[in-house]
Amino acid sequence: KPFITSPVAIPADGRPSWLEHEARPEPPPIRVLSPAAAYDETARGRGWASGSGVERDKALARGMLVHRLLQSLPDILQATRAEAARRYLARSPAGFSPEERERMVDEVRRLLDDPRFAPLFLPGSRAEVPIVGRLKGGTLAVSGQIDRLAVTGDSVLIADYKTNRPAPCRLADVPPAYIAQLALYRAVLGQLYPDKRIRAALVWTDVPDLMEIPDANLDAALVAITSA
């Protein structure tokens, strides 16, 4: 069938009406900001940067395995965690010796059993939580994944696992990219939980230790990364 358009009214002077109005301003461009992009590979620490290529590959593999165990073991009964971890590590193609695998099992067990970390691994806490949000009036789009998240009565605790060897003992020695990563997560979660304090921490698996990042440091990091 033929397509017939509706007649369009044209002013007597032949000028379209839109010529009489100012053009609408262009919307501000949206900058996509991934917290993972804030992670600088050169900031992994001496344990990653030193040694041969084989040693670096093993350090990377170790970090991935520990991360996976911390993600999965909290959902397993405490009495069976160690054996489950041993079975998982034995299937790894990374070539760790039995002694190295046992050290990893002990490391993860100590971290999970430490009362300081209890809120992160209680029932209801979550691992590998995707997060998406907008900051700075909608001009910054943030997308990432939180290693561990726990919502309590008055606060939200988020944690990011780091396997640096040796782990920093002081806040001053923490790579700024790590703090920037947490600052972005915290800013987005602050919109979802406006009535709760958002606490952010780094879990150093090598110690193990949990290092909570002060609010002032997170605020400063957010300003630096969003104003770049």
Side-chain angles (χ1 to χ4, degrees):
K1 295 181 180 180
F3 179 77
I4 302 175
T5 59
S6 301
V8 178
I10 300 178
D13 60 4
R15 293 165 56 86
S17 60
W18 55 265
L19 287 176
E20 307 298 328
H21 303 282
E22 293 185 2
R24 294 180 180 179
E26 290 288 333
I30 296 176
R31 182 161 64 103
V32 179
L33 194 59
S34 169
Y39 181 84
D40 182 359
E41 292 292 335
T42 63
R44 287 179 179 264
R46 292 189 302 274
W48 293 85
S50 61
S52 67
V54 173
E55 291 172 336
R56 288 194 296 270
D57 289 344
K58 287 193 70 173
L60 179 60
R62 176 189 175 279
M64 295 175 64
L65 290 170
V66 169
H67 189 118
R68 177 63 176 170
L69 290 174
L70 289 172
Q71 175 188 352
S72 303
L73 289 182
D75 297 328
I76 299 175
L77 291 176
Q78 186 175 14
T80 62
R81 286 176 181 172
E83 188 56 35
R86 292 186 184 102
R87 289 197 303 268
Y88 175 73
L89 293 176
R91 295 194 301 269
S92 169
F96 290 101
S97 68
E99 293 76 15
E100 289 173 320
R101 295 199 300 266
E102 194 60 31
R103 280 197 296 271
M104 278 189 274
V105 172
D106 182 63
E107 175 183 296
V108 172
R109 287 182 62 191
R110 284 187 292 121
L111 194 152
L112 293 177
D113 294 342
D114 193 315
R116 294 174 299 163
F117 307 119
L120 283 174
F121 304 112
L122 289 176
S125 62
R126 298 173 59 195
E128 306 293 333
V129 181
I131 184 170
V132 177
R134 295 286 183 92
L135 302 175
K136 204 174 179 180
T139 60
L140 285 179
V142 177
S143 175
Q145 188 164 276
I146 298 173
D147 285 345
R148 198 82 194 179
L149 181 146
V151 180
T152 64
D154 59 354
S155 63
V156 177
L157 178 61
I158 60 176
D160 200 59
Y161 303 142
K162 300 300 182 187
T163 55
N164 296 53
R165 304 188 79 177
C169 297
R170 304 181 306 158
L171 181 62
D173 297 328
V174 175
Y178 291 178
I179 300 177
Q181 186 176 11
L182 288 174
L184 288 172
Y185 292 149
R186 173 176 174 261
V188 173
L189 286 172
Q191 300 174 1
L192 299 176
Y193 299 95
D195 299 327
K196 296 181 183 289
R197 180 189 172 201
I198 313 298
R199 300 168 56 201
L202 293 167
V203 175
W204 305 109
T205 61
D206 186 46
V207 180
D209 191 24
L210 183 146
M211 179 186 290
E212 184 165 356
I213 309 301
D215 291 346
N217 295 74
L218 294 166
D219 291 339
L222 183 66
V223 170
I225 196 171
T226 57
S227 60

